[in-house]
Amino acid sequence: MRLHVVTFGCQMSVADGEELASPLKGRGFTAVGDADTADAIVLNTCTVRQHAEDKAMSFIGRLREWKDKDPERVLIVAGCAAERLGPWIQKRFPYVDLVVGAKSIEDYPMIVEEALGARFDALAETRQAFRPTTERYREEVPLPNAVGWASPVSAFVTIMRGCNYSCSYCIVPAVRGRELYRPYETVMAEVRAKVALGAKEITLLGQTVNSWNGNEGGRRIRFPELLRRMGKIEGLDRLRFESPHPHFVDDDLIEAMTATKPVCEQLHLPIQSGSDRLLKIMRRNYDSARILDQTARLRSAMPLVEVSTDIIVGFPSETDEDFERTLGLVRSLRPSWSYTFKYSPREGTESAGMADDVPDAVKEERLARLNALCDGLTEEALAARVGKVVEVLDEGGGFGRTRDGFKVSWNGSGPAGRTVKVRITGTSKRILKGESDERA
Ligand code: SAH
Ligand code: SF4
């Protein structure tokens, strides 16, 4: 039986997709890369921005034909948009077999089993032994039996779910609920297991990943301490995390990043805006001076660090002056990568109650100006590497990444998992191109 997992959304959603696939894999499904040959599809949706949600809904629409070809096929729609629009999805697309919202991810294996167990048995070529569990998922997380789908040597590990913030534009708290931290022992065990399976690089994931805390033997452990402890795991070469909230980027975190060798020289720091007036209305709990102060401290402690960011343009009431401040902060921050978004009101959020008063043409124009600035900074960062020798983790097929987050393609053909020195000779489509003297 063949399973196709599709995700429209961020890395966190991609990692969730792997988790959503696991009970089906436990029933003997194997992963396939396209819908056509699949017996089951798990569609993992995102509702953070209107655009991602629209893409997921039109994908479900196109699957009618896939389902018509063989009604025994199974279609599961999960994730944030499923949480927000569950009953509507079921009504609008009656051929969807199961809708599971993001808040139910902990119970997902049980829900799938209850709703579809018999269907899967009918589908099965050979009936699989399967023990339904009555225990909650988070208390009995099975250790992984594979590094992950994305890469044989680079794995994601979700350490927290939900969000306790209330940024006025953001729907995440409504669809994903309050923060839930996976216990210390569980995340350590998962990282150790993935490293034992061949992972050299781990990316810890969570909506505000650095608000994670746990305890060991009654002693509280905060995120920086988690990094220090994970850094000692034998065989783990690289450790990354995403998305940290600026509120928790403090000296302790900077010290832990600097002192923990596997922690990569890379920090994603979503600024959203450079206007302190807007940051207040967005309820971000920091101002532009704090962002600059944090990054200055980080850069002096870790000179090779590269910073990336998220920015929204066209938030309600954004003036030309506010927007200029955003451009100004970007010029000072000099992110090597930026993810820029046009504001879209999300139902039920605080800002959805404000007038969406920046005309679309103005949003587009601002987005284009911001992108020109951000793209220029990315190009500069890429160009600065040409002629240099960089350290790349080989992910197979002559593809890999530097510690500071650049993609590299070179003439490599050795086994994945080695760290290779590559001389950068040029760039193409935002990827560094290079050559290595190494003989496989
Ligand atoms: N937890 C992360 C962000 C998660 S959402 C953080 O706090 O940084 C990913 C990005 O989507 C956000 O950083 C923001 O830039 C963008 N985004 C969220 N809601 C949006 C909206 N209503 N309109 C446009 N962009 C939005
Ligand atoms: Fe959304 Fe803000 Fe939470 Fe990030 S911190 S998920 S932007 S509410």
Side-chain angles (χ1 to χ4, degrees):
M1 293 184 295
R2 291 165 302 258
L3 168 69
H4 181 46
V5 180
V6 194
T7 295
F8 292 104
C10 59
Q11 272 190 347
M12 263 160 271
S13 302
V14 174
D16 284 352
E18 283 186 10
E19 233 172 90
L20 295 168
S22 73
L24 276 73
K25 282 171 135 187
R27 279 188 156 258
F29 278 87
T30 52
V32 290
D34 66 303
D36 286 351
T37 60
D39 302 300
I41 292 182
V42 173
L43 171 62
N44 194 24
T45 60
C46 173
T47 188
V48 167
R49 292 173 299 274
Q50 187 65 45
H51 183 62
E53 186 178 288
D54 292 348
K55 265 171 47 185
M57 295 309 127
S58 86
F59 186 78
I60 305 177
R62 291 200 303 278
L63 287 177
R64 173 188 288 274
E65 217 179 291
W66 173 84
K67 186 80 182 181
D68 278 351
K69 268 193 195 147
D70 178 0
E72 286 301 309
R73 287 170 157 171
V74 171
L75 175 55
I76 300 175
V77 178
C80 298
E83 181 73 44
R84 187 173 98 80
L85 299 171
W88 180 88
I89 292 173
Q90 234 137 17
K91 219 167 140 204
R92 173 81 179 72
F93 309 106
Y95 49 91
V96 171
D97 294 287
L98 183 63
V99 180
V100 192
K103 280 186 192 160
S104 313
I105 191 167
E106 304 288 322
D107 296 323
Y108 170 82
M110 263 194 325
I111 295 173
V112 168
E113 187 53 31
E114 272 166 24
L116 298 172
R119 281 284 296 286
F120 286 152
D121 289 341
L123 251 180
E125 284 140 14
T126 49
R127 188 177 281 255
Q128 304 278 324
F130 187 84
R131 276 178 296 109
T133 168
T134 48
E135 242 132 317
R136 282 179 73 80
Y137 189 38
R138 64 171 161 270
E139 280 150 27
E140 204 183 284
V141 181
L143 283 176
N145 54 14
V147 169
W149 290 15
S151 157
V153 294
S154 178
F156 296 123
V157 173
T158 300
I159 64 167
M160 53 95 60
R161 298 191 188 288
C163 178
N164 285 357
Y165 277 81
S166 40
C167 302
S168 56
Y169 52 81
C170 184
I171 197 169
V172 167
V175 288
R176 295 203 157 228
R178 308 255 325 147
E179 288 178 15
L180 180 83
Y181 314 112
R182 289 183 65 202
Y184 169 73
E185 295 294 353
T186 312
V187 293
M188 290 294 280
E190 186 166 331
V191 170
R192 276 193 207 102
K194 290 199 166 179
V195 170
L197 287 161
K200 299 282 176 198
E201 175 177 275
I202 296 284
T203 303
L204 305 176
L205 295 178
Q207 286 296 342
T208 56
V209 69
N210 52 342
S211 73
W212 180 92
N213 62 82
N215 66 73
E216 190 203 26
R219 198 179 146 241
R220 186 140 184 249
I221 298 174
R222 299 173 61 88
F223 183 73
E225 180 62 14
L226 182 70
L227 291 183
R228 291 185 188 103
R229 292 183 180 209
M230 262 179 199
K232 294 197 181 114
I233 293 176
E234 192 82 27
L236 176 63
D237 292 345
R238 293 179 173 195
L239 188 53
R240 304 183 195 272
F241 51 91
E242 190 170 335
S243 267
H245 192 287
H247 182 72
F248 295 97
V249 177
D250 54 15
D251 287 345
D252 190 22
L253 179 60
I254 292 173
E255 199 281 327
M257 288 176 70
T258 316
T260 308
K261 206 166 157 266
V263 172
C264 290
E265 290 76 17
Q266 181 199 20
L267 185 75
H268 186 64
L269 197 66
I271 58 170
Q272 314 300 357
S273 170
S275 154
D276 292 342
R277 186 185 77 82
L278 285 189
L279 285 170
K280 236 189 205 129
I281 308 177
M282 287 178 166
R283 297 194 191 281
R284 286 293 287 176
N285 289 300
Y286 56 78
D287 59 13
S288 52
R290 189 174 148 102
I291 294 283
L292 290 175
D293 178 57
Q294 284 168 334
T295 43
R297 280 162 196 264
L298 177 64
R299 282 176 164 143
S300 83
M302 205 184 212
L304 295 177
V305 74
E306 289 291 336
V307 173
S308 56
T309 196
D310 290 354
I311 305 162
I312 300 175
V313 297
F315 185 80
S317 83
E318 185 184 71
T319 61
D320 283 341
E321 196 191 323
D322 291 318
F323 178 63
E324 289 300 330
R325 287 185 194 280
T326 297
L327 295 179
L329 183 57
V330 171
R331 281 189 203 105
S332 306
L333 187 67
R334 300 184 60 79
S336 50
W337 299 97
S338 304
Y339 303 90
T340 57
F341 308 106
K342 216 164 64 161
Y343 170 75
S344 57
R346 310 305 294 133
E347 194 188 4
T349 58
E350 188 185 349
S351 70
M354 304 170 191
D356 184 12
D357 54 359
V358 179
D360 199 54
V362 176
K363 283 184 188 166
E364 289 288 353
E365 194 195 309
R366 287 180 185 165
L367 187 64
R369 279 186 66 201
L370 178 64
N371 284 344
L373 172 64
C374 294
D375 290 350
L377 291 168
T378 302
E379 300 296 332
E380 262 183 58
L382 288 162
R385 280 152 179 85
V386 176
K388 298 225 163 94
V389 173
V390 297
E391 206 181 278
V392 182
L393 174 63
D394 189 341
E395 295 192 34
F399 172 81
R401 267 169 236 264
T402 61
R403 284 178 60 97
D404 53 7
F406 291 84
K407 291 178 183 165
V408 183
S409 148
W410 78 104
N411 60 334
S413 56
R418 296 154 314 128
T419 300
V420 185
K421 291 224 186 311
V422 177
R423 177 174 301 281
I424 301 305
T425 52
T427 69
S428 165
K429 294 187 185 144
R430 305 184 147 214
I431 294 179
L432 297 170
K433 300 272 170 188
E435 282 167 9
S436 161
D437 297 335
E438 187 193 51
R439 301 273 170 272

